[in-house]
Amino acid sequence: MADYEHLSVGHGDAVATVALARPDARNALNAELIGEIRRCMEELAEDGNVRVVVLTGEGDFFCAGADIGYMRDTAEFSYEENLQDARSLAAMFGAVEECPKPVVARIKGAAIGGGVGLVAAADVAVAEEGTVFAFSEVRLGISPATIAPFVLRKIGHSQVRALFLTGERFDAARAQAIGLVHEAVSEEDLDAAVQE
């Protein structure tokens, strides 16, 4: 396994635990983290000692979406640079979704924007009851286009249309009701539910 600056990867009992490791930034996605998640998932796909991948975040948040500084930088991108950036982001989600090992998302605190994209790309998602979800891109005047195919496959057209247009925040119970997550559990039961 490669060394990572923004990921923490642990192994035990054929389970690889991949934690987004930017807790001071609420595990927000930047170009480096996007690339590391993709590389890590591709490496784990080939690792014969790994049978399951748990995807989580260090600290109090799963993933707060795109890093504001990263978004500010992309505003200056040319068309070609913007296209390449979108392709890199889509490839990261694709690496999670297409991983031949089951990917279990362990979600707490918040999953916003691209963070919800990671949840949608996972095979199984378990969320702490207090978790907040949102497709907040609309509040910034942009579309959640790159995550749309992954989310659409997970929750369907009706929910996508409403949630993408409103940007409203919703809780783990609603996330479970619409099929985004499979279980919503108490904080003290989160690890046991993920382990199960």
Side-chain angles (χ1 to χ4, degrees):
M1 291 290 292
D3 290 328
Y4 299 105
E5 183 180 353
H6 300 296
L7 284 180
S8 169
V9 183
H11 294 271
D13 297 327
V15 176
T17 300
V18 177
L20 283 61
R22 298 187 69 222
D24 293 344
R26 298 181 175 184
N27 298 316
L29 299 170
N30 62 12
E32 294 78 20
L33 179 55
I34 289 165
E36 288 184 5
I37 292 170
R38 177 184 178 183
R39 283 196 322 272
C40 183
M41 296 305 294
E42 290 171 348
E43 289 175 2
L44 292 172
E46 300 298 322
D47 188 334
N49 296 315
V50 174
R51 293 180 58 205
V52 176
V53 178
V54 174
L55 182 62
T56 190
E58 288 186 357
D60 296 329
F61 295 89
F62 176 71
C63 178
D67 184 275
I68 295 297
Y70 167 62
M71 289 182 68
R72 192 175 305 116
D73 292 344
T74 63
E76 303 299 319
F77 281 5
S78 68
Y79 173 81
E80 291 77 19
E81 290 170 323
N82 202 350
L83 185 60
Q84 181 55 46
D85 180 65
R87 286 179 173 154
S88 295
L89 187 59
M92 176 200 69
F93 293 123
V96 173
E97 184 179 65
E98 296 164 13
C99 182
K101 318 292 174 74
V103 177
V104 179
R106 177 187 177 276
I107 310 142
K108 61 180 178 173
I112 308 295
V116 186
L118 287 171
V119 173
D123 296 299
V124 178
V126 181
E128 186 179 290
E129 290 169 339
T131 304
V132 174
F133 297 85
F135 300 99
S136 58
E137 292 88 345
V138 70
R139 296 178 185 272
L140 302 172
I142 58 177
S143 166
T146 307
I147 65 172
F150 304 94
V151 177
L152 184 60
R153 284 192 286 274
K154 186 64 75 106
I155 66 173
H157 286 88
S158 179
Q159 296 296 337
V160 162
R161 290 162 106 174
L163 293 170
F164 280 15
L165 289 172
T166 65
E168 71 180 277
R169 292 177 176 255
F170 55 100
D171 62 13
R174 180 159 181 210
Q176 183 178 16
I178 65 175
L180 181 62
V181 303
H182 299 92
E183 290 188 64
V185 299
S186 65
E187 179 181 0
E188 55 270 17
D189 292 335
L190 181 60
D191 289 326
V194 168
Q195 183 63 35
E196 183 181 340

